[in-house]
Amino acid sequence: AQRVTQPEKLLSVFKGAPVELKCNYSYSGSPELFWYVQYSRQRLQLLLRHISRESIKGFTADLNKGETSFHLKKPFAQEEDSAMYYCASTSGGGADGLTFGKGTHLIIQP
Amino acid sequence: ETGVTQSPTHLIKTRGQQVTLRCSSQSGHNTVSWYQQALGQGPQFIFQYYREEENGRGNFPPRFSGLQFPNYSSELNVNALELDDSALYLCASSTGQEAPYNEQFFGPGTRLTVL
């Protein structure tokens, strides 16, 4: 079974500081990985996915198969980045859906 | 283009009762997935429907069942409610049979409380 671990329940950083949200996955195959975000009073939405290799809102995430990690990074945090962030994986196909971590609440202090 | 909608917003039931939650997908999205999110947890996959047939299921008992209709609406039915069923239920619509690879568009959720 897949498992996604986000070790930090809460992460607080100052505006302009670098941000790194940790995500580790366990799956013997080659999962696809995603970061979803939920801003205050908004619904859960896709931030970025590994297969697209894109940077969204200044965030990037690199897949490290050796460490089975998919950490989310941003060099300079902004106050509007404050939100709940969920790492998710899927093995592919419709059989497993998305497996989510428990989420990290990111707070950007002014 | 309208987003994913869910009804009702909140619901209170008692143990042993049955409940039906509804979701309206984005127009053109032929796949709907349902997730259960307990307090302080990430969403947990219940099942997925593609073109009105279940094509994927998570670790949930058969008392969790669903339906998907041709008009992009869907239902989640839960029989014999238990206290642990109290959670936020999310539906997500997307396109394609291998939907998890594609962007999932989530609804606002239905908060179910079982007393």
Side-chain angles (χ1 to χ4, degrees):
Chain A
Q2 296 183 67
R3 180 176 290 180
V4 175
T5 303
Q6 294 179 253
E8 303 136 331
K9 197 170 182 177
L10 174 68
L11 182 64
S12 179
V13 302
F14 286 101
K15 178 182 171 182
V19 172
E20 183 178 57
L21 299 167
K22 292 183 168 54
C23 172
N24 289 89
Y25 65 91
S26 66
Y27 180 62
S28 58
S30 297
E32 288 302 331
L33 289 140
F34 309 82
W35 278 96
Y36 277 79
V37 62
Q38 187 167 24
Y39 301 102
S40 179
R41 297 188 191 87
Q42 294 187 28
R43 56 190 69 190
L44 196 59
Q45 59 186 287
L46 179 67
L47 178 62
L48 59 79
R49 47 190 153 177
H50 170 248
I51 54 176
S52 299
R53 301 278 201 279
E54 55 196 351
S55 171
I56 304 293
K57 298 184 179 182
F59 284 98
T60 59
D62 292 321
L63 178 62
N64 185 323
K65 291 186 178 180
E67 296 182 358
T68 60
S69 68
F70 189 58
H71 302 329
L72 184 68
K73 299 178 184 179
K74 185 170 182 176
F76 307 104
Q78 298 172 298
E79 287 186 66
E80 55 264 34
D81 295 329
S82 295
M84 196 73 188
Y85 291 80
Y86 293 94
C87 182
S89 74
T90 183
S91 62
D96 297 332
L98 287 170
T99 298
F100 284 88
K102 291 185 178 182
T104 297
H105 188 188
L106 176 65
I107 297 173
I108 308 300
Q109 298 192 48
Chain B
E1 182 179 289
T2 57
V4 179
T5 59
Q6 292 186 243
S7 62
T9 307
H10 297 90
L11 201 52
I12 299 175
K13 291 284 188 179
T14 55
R15 258 173 49 180
Q17 284 189 312
Q18 178 267 343
V19 70
T20 297
L21 309 182
R22 293 181 173 81
C23 171
S24 181
S25 299
Q26 281 193 200
S27 179
H29 284 190
N30 53 15
T31 304
V32 64
S33 303
W34 285 89
Y35 290 82
Q36 180 194 67
Q37 187 173 19
L39 207 57
Q41 304 293 316
Q44 190 174 358
F45 176 64
I46 302 174
F47 46 56
Q48 175 178 291
Y49 278 75
Y50 172 69
R51 292 185 174 176
E52 301 162 48
E53 290 197 10
E54 183 181 304
N55 75 333
R57 190 175 186 94
N59 189 25
F60 279 82
R63 59 188 185 86
F64 285 79
S65 63
L67 286 170
Q68 185 186 25
F69 304 101
N71 65 350
Y72 306 116
S73 67
S74 60
E75 292 179 353
L76 164 65
N77 298 290
V78 186
N79 293 323
L81 283 167
E82 302 177 359
L83 296 179
D84 284 348
D85 296 334
S86 294
L88 181 69
Y89 288 85
L90 299 167
C91 78
S93 73
S94 58
T95 57
Q97 190 169 3
E98 296 191 346
Y101 279 105
N102 303 321
E103 182 172 0
Q104 303 275 297
F105 292 85
F106 282 85
T110 293
R111 173 75 60 188
L112 173 65
T113 302
V114 182
L115 302 176

